[in-house]
Amino acid sequence: MSQVEKKAGLLRRTSSSKKPLKEKVVLMYDEIFAKEDPAKNNPRFWDELFLMKVNLEYLESKLESVNGEEVQRIQDNINSLFHHCVQALGEEHQIKVVNALQTLCALFRGVHQKNKSASGFDIINMLMGFDKAEQRMKDLMERLDSLLCGDSSESLKSLCLKLLLCLVTVTDNISQNTILEYVMINSIFEAILQILSDPSSRGQHGYDAVVLLALLVNYRKYESVNPYIVKLSIVDDEPTLDGMGVVLHQALTEYNRQYKDKEEENQGGFFSTLTSMVGSMFIADVDEKLSVQTNEAILLALYEAVHLNRNFITVLAQSHPEIDIAVTPSTPTPTTPTTPLGTTPPSLDVMNNPELPLDPNLQTSNLLITFLKYASIVMQDTKDEHRLNSARLCLIILTCIAEDQYADAFLHDDNINFRVSLHRMPMRHRKKAPGKNIPSRPLVCAVLDLMVEFIVTHMMKDFPMDLYLRCVQIIHKLLCYQKKCRIRLHYTWRELWSALINLLKFLLSNETTLLAKHNIFHLALLVVNLFNMFITYGDTFLPTSNSYDELYYEIVRMHQVFDNLYCMVLRVSTNTGQWKEAASKVTHALVNIRAIINHFNPKIESYAAVNHISQLSEEQVRSISLNVRKNVSLNTLSQDVLLKEFSTIS
């Protein structure tokens, strides 16, 4: 049977002189799209309709094909269909309920697809009649709430959530979906929480529930009072918050597992040999094959939980050595419309294959570790728009975490150490880091590693300025906390300093290209002020005095970058132009760094001349640093400049 015949509900081919037969449900749909009331000649029309298997494709295509005049002609019948769908949700006969839910999905999608340019009020009027809309939606939401909270079958609950997801995602911009005003008035928030708090329901429907909640929270969140935002922000029920954390943890773990599986598929064998033989020829192919579809929906849910609910921060730190195994529903789930984009749940295999620790005796995993691993994957390649958005959302979530005092305390707790194996972008000038023998460190080290990795690997022509700004600001917030609490973190700070200097070098090398699109002086100022933090307050958080010597050595060794930066900002600040003020701020911020360079360079040159050495070793330079560092005259910059914590979360 051809695709056209299938969509039209044709049963079989007949002779050319006869019309092909149609399914009875298709004939009934045709009656609805006629001018007459379909129940006029058949009082049992609606009862019979919901006993028929729904033909979603035909019903949606029929709704999309009607023109303006036909809409007016059949509006009463469409309103009646909607009304009887809602009524059927209260039936005891499960088949009727299932068919009513699927029919409602087709109605919402078909009407919106046909009337994309129409106002929300016109769509409401076509679906249910504007004068009766409030009562119709009240009845619908009450029945859905009853099905979700009651003893309904798991398949019915799944269909209810699919219908709600369908309703929420029928428009490209959720805030333009006027029907959701009725979802705000008739809240299903408690039903969602009930699903998340119960282990059995959570295993079956947790993913859909979390995504639905995240989407509802974003409805006109900046334009009016959204009750879902208010309610989510005050949730303090531990089982509910833990349940939400488990769902997020499972979804991110599944993504990490899929990526790891693809990575292992591409290692070893003939393909690996070819790649090593021809160098970079196959790098793009490898990246493409390792690409796993990102999941912005689950990231959005994590962001809203972290951003809105302070109690959820504690969930990030809770260990998950094992994941609850969900029971597969014995009743087959009825066919439902295509799941909205970005809401594909993880496979149930993740329940049986939880992320295992590297060391079963010492290591456990938690939501924060899993998120850091996820971020290290999606932040590798930001050329794709979806991955760029995912990377941006990951950095926003990390900003939320870095701004929370409890999260900072957990991140820096020296008594709670973890081995976090972050994924690193394959690059020609460095070997892949071994995954074994990863040191056990406070989690803040993994966050800093992730920031350093991003800085090093994304210096490209299509420069992601907003991501770099967020990245540097996250580092700044962590340093502010370390300075405030006098935490001496044993971290390889030299890698961070080297990455920041190379970033300044990149900005200088591409000044003309970047200035056409971005204010590079703002980023340069943030980077320079990070160095000023280390110079001015490093004695409160650097682990040893030797760290200071390493800092001064890096500044002196790379003095040409700072000299060139000073010349550039001085040139721009002394000329009239768009960037005059921004460049002058960088000029002032470079005072301490230039003082160190101007103080040390003559000493080093003098030592080299006296000892007839053309090039000094690092040990010799550091010995000079140790002798003269105390005599450097530094300008104590304002604490308001160095310690001001810019909030980047709206």
Side-chain angles (χ1 to χ4, degrees), residues 257 323-326 328 347-356:
R257 184 188 64 79
I323 298 177
D324 294 335
I325 299 176
T328 305
S347 66
L348 287 178
D349 291 343
V350 73
M351 308 296 185
N352 303 315
N353 294 283
E355 183 177 8
L356 297 177

Side-chain angles (χ1 to χ4, degrees), residues 228-241:
Y228 289 86
I229 293 178
V230 178
K231 291 180 179 181
L232 179 57
S233 65
I234 59 175
V235 173
D236 58 1
D237 181 59
E238 190 173 333
T240 302
L241 294 173

Side-chain angles (χ1 to χ4, degrees), residues 74-278:
I74 65 169
Q75 181 176 318
D76 289 342
N77 287 352
I78 298 296
N79 293 170
S80 186
L81 174 59
F82 188 93
H83 171 58
H84 284 91
C85 282
V86 175
Q87 283 191 323
L89 296 182
E91 294 276 356
E92 294 183 3
H93 205 304
Q94 183 167 311
I95 291 179
K96 286 188 175 182
V97 179
V98 169
N99 290 332
L101 288 169
Q102 293 181 337
T103 303
L104 283 168
C105 281
L107 275 174
F108 284 129
R109 286 161 47 141
V111 170
H112 277 88
Q113 286 296 318
K114 173 62 182 176
N115 302 277
K116 286 185 176 181
S117 59
S119 70
F121 300 107
D122 290 336
I123 289 175
I124 292 171
N125 194 40
M126 181 179 178
L127 273 172
M128 59 197 95
F130 198 73
D131 56 333
K132 299 177 182 177
E134 187 172 343
Q135 186 60 46
R136 294 283 184 267
M137 286 301 297
K138 181 175 183 294
D139 293 341
L140 172 62
M141 297 307 295
E142 285 179 353
R143 283 177 166 82
L144 290 176
D145 185 81
S146 177
L147 288 169
L148 288 171
C149 297
D151 298 327
S152 306
S153 66
E154 299 301 332
S155 59
L156 270 184
K157 290 183 179 181
S158 177
L159 265 181
C160 289
L161 289 170
K162 296 297 184 188
L163 170 61
L164 288 165
L165 284 170
C166 176
L167 172 59
V168 171
T169 57
V170 285
T171 56
D172 293 333
N173 184 343
I174 191 172
S175 295
Q176 294 176 354
N177 190 348
T178 312
I179 296 179
L180 294 187
E181 286 293 336
Y182 299 109
V183 183
M184 297 294 115
I185 297 170
N186 305 284
S187 175
I188 54 162
F189 184 80
E190 286 70 23
I192 295 174
L193 293 196
Q194 182 174 316
I195 290 172
L196 295 175
S197 61
D198 179 66
S200 177
S201 295
R202 182 174 67 234
Q204 299 288 343
H205 318 294
Y207 184 90
D208 285 344
V210 164
V211 171
L212 176 62
L213 179 58
L215 292 171
L216 289 173
V217 162
N218 278 274
Y219 176 71
R220 297 183 180 175
K221 65 189 300 185
Y222 303 117
E223 303 167 27
S224 59
V225 178
N226 183 321
Y228 289 86
I229 293 178
V230 178
K231 291 180 179 181
L232 179 57
S233 65
I234 59 175
V235 173
D236 58 1
D237 181 59
E238 190 173 333
T240 302
L241 294 173
D242 289 346
M244 189 182 300
V246 168
V247 172
L248 296 170
H249 183 259
Q250 290 171 353
L252 295 177
T253 299
E254 172 71 357
Y255 180 93
N256 295 345
R257 184 188 64 79
Q258 290 178 7
Y259 181 86
K260 186 177 179 181
D261 289 346
K262 285 204 171 188
E263 191 176 41
E264 290 175 352
E265 286 176 11
N266 288 285
Q267 288 178 352
F270 182 68
F271 182 82
S272 179
T273 305
L274 273 179
T275 304
S276 60
M277 286 173 59
V278 298

